Amino acid sequence: MIYILMRGVNKQFIYDFIKSRSLAVISTVNEKAMPEAALIGIAVTPKLEIIFDTANISRKHPNLLQNPAVALVIGWDNDITLQYEGTATQLPDHDDQYKQLYFDTIKGARERSQTLHGIVYFKISPHWIRYCNYNPPVMIKELMF
């Protein structure tokens, strides 16, 4: 297998990759230290922060409050994927900047926030990102924050 250090894969490239996707799989850890995964809608900031919502009755909500460390997988088509690890922070109710970005990105998010009770928003700050294109020649790029 040939690995190539990818030239041109930088924060802007990663931002564009994430922005072109609206879904991710998030992994959290419950109170028994067992992993739990869920599909989430995502928005991304230029700082590569991931924004998502969840119901306060979901399994991930108490998991995130207890242990904010998360891992995500974004993209899985055509053997191209992005792994993302970071720290999740619940956003204050009045944080309209991040919510607006999420509403602009995820179809139906604004309406859901107005009709469902208990919707909360999180921002994930990245610690480590790995972009992988497994098509020959295999290309892998890691970013540390």
Side-chain angles (χ1 to χ4, degrees):
M1 187 175 295
I2 299 172
Y3 294 95
I4 296 177
L5 178 60
M6 297 181 67
R7 288 181 221 129
V9 175
N10 54 26
K11 284 185 179 182
Q12 183 64 48
F13 180 92
I14 298 298
Y15 170 76
D16 292 340
F17 180 86
I18 297 172
K19 190 172 173 71
S20 72
R21 274 106 181 129
S22 61
L23 297 173
V25 174
I26 187 170
S27 180
T28 61
V29 177
N30 69 21
E31 72 281 353
K32 295 178 184 175
M34 299 297 295
E36 296 178 350
L39 186 67
I40 58 172
I42 60 169
V44 63
T45 72
K47 293 180 181 179
L48 305 181
E49 300 160 314
I50 301 290
I51 312 304
F52 71 98
D53 72 356
T54 190
N56 62 6
I57 60 170
S58 71
R59 296 188 318 165
K60 69 182 123 352
H61 185 252
N63 293 353
L64 291 167
L65 296 179
Q66 170 210 282
N67 181 351
V70 298
L72 296 101
V73 173
I74 303 167
W76 37 81
D77 299 325
N78 303 318
D79 296 330
I80 301 171
T81 189
L82 186 125
Q83 298 163 316
Y84 181 116
E85 294 176 0
T87 302
T89 306
Q90 186 170 332
L91 296 172
D93 288 337
H94 62 279
D95 195 326
D96 294 331
Q97 174 189 350
Y98 287 111
K99 285 183 189 177
Q100 186 61 49
L101 172 64
Y102 188 74
F103 295 156
D104 290 345
T105 304
I106 302 299
K107 183 179 179 178
R110 182 182 307 279
E111 294 77 16
R112 187 171 57 246
S113 74
Q114 296 168 348
T115 59
L116 296 177
H117 297 288
I119 298 292
V120 294
Y121 299 86
F122 281 86
K123 172 185 74 171
I124 306 172
S125 300
H127 298 300
W128 175 86
I129 295 175
R130 175 187 278 170
Y131 171 87
C132 299
N133 182 335
Y134 291 107
N135 296 290
V138 173
M139 296 180 277
I140 298 173
K141 174 67 175 182
E142 291 186 14
L143 298 174
M144 302 288 289
F145 296 85

